[in-house]
Amino acid sequence: MISNEDIFAAATRVLAERPDATLQTIAQAAGISRTTIFYRFPTRESLLQALSVDAFMRIKTVMSVLTGEISSQYPQKLLEVTQKLIPLVEQSMFLRNVPTENNNLNSVWAEATAPLTSYLIQLQQEGILSKEIPHRWLVASYVSLLFAAWDEVSLGELGSLQASRLVVHSWLRGAGHISI
C-alpha cells in the first residue's frame, strides 16, 4: 500500500516542474489510480494544503535543533541547520510555485520558523546579534537567503555545502554590529 509520504514525494516532484498539474497526473507519477488519490485527497486544494503543511513541518523539524544554550558555536549550529534545510529544495520550489487558497498556512509557517525566531532572539539578548535589528527582519533575511540557495542548488549553480556556507556567511555579515 502506498503511503501519503510516497504521494507527497511524487506530488512535490511533479508540482515543482508543473504547478498546474492535475490530481490525475500526480496519481500517475505516484503509481496509483485516480480513485486512490481522490480517496485520500478529494480535491487538488486538499492535496496542496497537505503538501504545504508537510513542507513546513519538515522545515520545523530541522529548525527545532536551534534550542537550548547559546554557545560560541552559534555559526556552526546555523551552518548545520542550513545544511539540513538545503535538501528540501523540491519542497521550496513547490511552496513558491503552487499557490493555495488556504490562508491558514501563515500560522503553520510561523510555527515552522518559531525555533529559528526564538534562537535569534536569544542571540540578540546575549549581545551576539544586534538588538537594533527587528527579529522578524532577521528571520526574513535568513529565509530569503535560504530560498536563494535553494534556487542556485536547483539550477546546479551551487552544491549543497557551498550554498549552506554562503547563506550563513552572508547572513552573519549582514546581522553583525557594523553600522551604516
Side-chain angles (χ1 to χ4, degrees), residues 27-80:
Q28 287 172 338
I32 59 175
S33 70
R34 183 173 176 222
T35 306
T36 301
I37 200 162
F38 278 103
Y39 177 74
R40 297 212 191 151
F41 304 100
T43 65
R44 185 175 186 277
E45 185 60 31
S46 65
L47 175 61
L48 296 180
Q49 173 75 15
L51 273 171
S52 298
V53 170
D54 179 68
F56 290 147
M57 290 303 99
R58 288 172 188 269
I59 291 168
K60 179 184 178 181
T61 298
V62 172
M63 287 188 177
S64 67
V65 303
L66 291 174
T67 57
E69 194 174 308
I70 300 292
S71 70
S72 62
Q73 301 300 317
Y74 70 92
Q76 185 61 32
K77 199 168 193 178
L78 282 173
L79 180 61
E80 288 171 14

Side-chain angles (χ1 to χ4, degrees), residues 96-111:
R96 280 184 291 177
N97 293 338
V98 182
T100 64
E101 298 170 9
N102 190 319
N103 292 330
N104 257 354
L105 293 178
N106 286 337
S107 63
V108 180
W109 174 248
E111 180 185 343

Side-chain angles (χ1 to χ4, degrees), residues 12 17-18 35 64 71 83 91 108 122 137 146 151-152 176:
T12 299
E17 291 178 19
R18 290 191 42 219
T35 306
S64 67
S71 70
Q83 287 172 334
Q91 285 83 359
V108 180
Q122 197 174 354
W137 182 267
L146 185 59
D151 285 343
E152 294 302 304

